[in-house]
Amino acid sequence: MPTPFYLVDAFASQPFHGNPACVCLFVDDKSDAWKQSLAAEMNQAETAFVLRDGNGYAIRWFTPTTEVDLCGHATIASVHALHEHGLLPERGRTTFSSKSGPLPVWSENGLYWMDFPKTIAAESAEVPENLLEGLGLDSYQWVGRSIFDILVEVDSAATLKSLAPDFYHLST
């Protein structure tokens, strides 16, 4: 039986912009090896698998090579896919169960929202190679790591808004 999947550009207002993620809905009967193979075939940063979980949904994320514990843009892409299929109505809210804990998500006025899980506070860290160049930053205030993220503090909101990350450069 065919398995539909969707390529969704998260954080975009038009096609071919934003941060793409593959979304596969309701493949509860597929093995982890199958999910990993599909993610490798799709060759996106992440492929999200939305699964049925009682009266709600669970979500898992796979890169082309491994399963990860959390992916924000693929979660937002999944909310969009659910919304487009009428499974999350306008102003709809659900909470995905995930390896990172509960992830509340919702749609409101055409926008999608997510509450990230609370994590252990970030600790100061060395600046990873390619980070500043990949972000297009000449300077920064502080760099730290949490269990999920590398955090960069910049000098102002204007600096933050002006960033144009080179995601390919960041991935190398």
Side-chain angles (χ1 to χ4, degrees), residues 10-60:
F11 314 125
S13 58
Q14 58 185 329
F16 310 114
H17 291 79
N19 199 350
C22 183
V23 177
C24 192
L25 299 176
F26 312 130
V27 291
D28 303 58
D29 61 332
K30 303 294 186 187
S31 70
D32 287 359
W34 184 91
K35 291 175 180 114
Q36 185 63 69
S37 294
L38 180 67
E41 182 78 12
M42 294 300 97
N43 200 30
Q44 296 300 309
E46 271 83 18
T47 297
F49 294 90
V50 178
L51 311 167
R52 289 181 178 87
D53 185 28
N55 292 329
Y57 305 111
I59 190 166
R60 294 175 67 189

Side-chain angles (χ1 to χ4, degrees), residues 108-159:
E108 187 174 328
N109 301 323
L111 298 175
Y112 304 112
W113 303 86
M114 174 181 156
D115 276 340
F116 280 90
K118 186 174 183 176
T119 61
I120 299 170
E123 296 181 8
S124 290
E126 290 187 30
V127 178
E129 185 177 343
N130 297 330
L131 179 65
L132 298 180
E133 186 177 335
L135 291 174
L137 279 173
D138 294 323
S139 65
Y140 62 94
Q141 302 295 309
W142 179 82
V143 172
R145 281 189 182 264
S146 71
I147 61 172
F148 294 121
D149 301 302
I150 298 172
L151 306 168
V152 180
E153 181 181 351
V154 295
D155 61 353
S156 68
T159 298

Side-chain angles (χ1 to χ4, degrees), residues 4-6 23 25-26 57 77-89 112:
F5 60 87
Y6 308 90
V23 177
L25 299 176
F26 312 130
Y57 305 111
S78 298
V79 173
H80 175 74
L82 290 169
H83 183 262
E84 289 296 304
H85 283 278
L87 299 168
L88 186 64
Y112 304 112

Side-chain angles (χ1 to χ4, degrees), residues 71-108:
C71 180
H73 82 281
T75 302
I76 293 296
S78 298
V79 173
H80 175 74
L82 290 169
H83 183 262
E84 289 296 304
H85 283 278
L87 299 168
L88 186 64
E90 183 65 27
R91 299 178 89 70
R93 180 180 275 277
T94 193
T95 299
F96 289 118
S97 59
S98 76
K99 286 188 173 187
S100 301
L103 294 175
V105 296
W106 63 96
S107 64
E108 187 174 328

